[in-house]
Amino acid sequence: MDLSYGEAAEAFRAEVRAFLALHWPPPSDARGADLKQYIRTFRALATDQGYLYRAIPKCYGGSQQPVDVVRAQVIREEFVRARAPMEVGGNGMNMTVPTLLEKGSDAQKELFIRATLDGDYIWGQGYSEPGAGSDLASVRTRGELSADGDKWIINGQKIWTSQGMQATHMFMLVRTEPDAPKHDGITYLLIDLNQPGVTRRPIRQMTGEEGDHTFCEFFFDNAETPVSWQVGERGQGWHVSRTTLKHERASIGGAEGLGKQFAKLVELAKEVGRIDDPIVRDRLTQIEGSVLSHRYSSYRIFSCAAAGEDPGPVALMMKLLLTEIGHEMALLAQELIGEHGFVEPAGAGGRGNRGPRGPEKWLDQIMGSLGNSIAGGASNIQRNIIGERGLGLPRDLAMNGER
């Protein structure tokens, strides 16, 4: 197996390294607003060089580079090595921008993409509701046209919105055709969250997270958004949402970081004096095999992409496997920390102590691993997708309307 990238790629790597050596890291005295501005300027320089926002047209603030998965991987590796910031993260770049590029109008692209790239717009996801989790077609948040037909009036509730306290805007699914079949009566809307009629409320998690709050729930009471902020045709939001979730699952399913998490698990086993326990070593070996399989599967997908080939069903499996492996690591960590598992998670009860702690620092990982089985599509939904689209198995009878 040849894992080298070739001479051309290595020459490009030297170019990227030279750029990073010149422009990163920032001055040691850069703090607060100065540091934020330095990072913004750095991203602009990197974009001018063609390193960032490669798939985004220049007219919207991107570098508009030809598709080249090898170069993109080299850039990612070198930026990680230098600990340099890449694109602004979050729902905006992972989901909103790709969806607008594929489904949005020219006016929507002009209005939203550059501001999202610059970090001025932060996007929340308005999909899940208390009665509509994995079954997104059951959304009940209503959208009705105003008397003049220029605005959508929105009433309802959304829940589990990531970055909810920081979000300036939201992309959301709203039921606009109550009498249509549930998949056909949904419209995909963009909305400004800083307006009367929008209430955001942080959700306290079992990890005790405070401060910025990972998730929020939103309440809409006659909130408004222009009809021109509707993405795609009225009543066709379900099809637009498929585009968004495709990009979310791709970002969640990346293999980066899993190996580092496993290395920390090994260190935990050493820290608590269990590294020589044959049972623990056996479980670590099993988990490491899964981690390596996931990594090599990512190499396979990367190689297929570089060759312009279809990797097949394995591409559909990556997010599910990442979730399953992460949960296995969390289960072993829970066993290893023993009585430390009874310690209240950081931040709970208003302590807000996020500094280094003992083995109980794994509590956030243990509890958080459960949420990954829901984010981006529940694991059982992922299994259905793999079975139906990847393996060609028949759909569930109930899904075909049969009894």
Side-chain angles (χ1 to χ4, degrees), residues 244-256:
T244 304
L245 282 177
K246 172 180 66 179
H247 294 288
E248 180 186 24
R249 287 164 184 160
S251 64
I252 292 175
E256 299 173 7

Side-chain angles (χ1 to χ4, degrees), residues 349-367:
R351 295 199 316 271
N353 180 15
R354 307 293 293 180
R357 293 160 286 141
E360 64 267 21
K361 64 179 177 287
W362 277 83
L363 281 169
D364 287 352
Q365 165 69 15
I366 292 168
M367 295 179 178

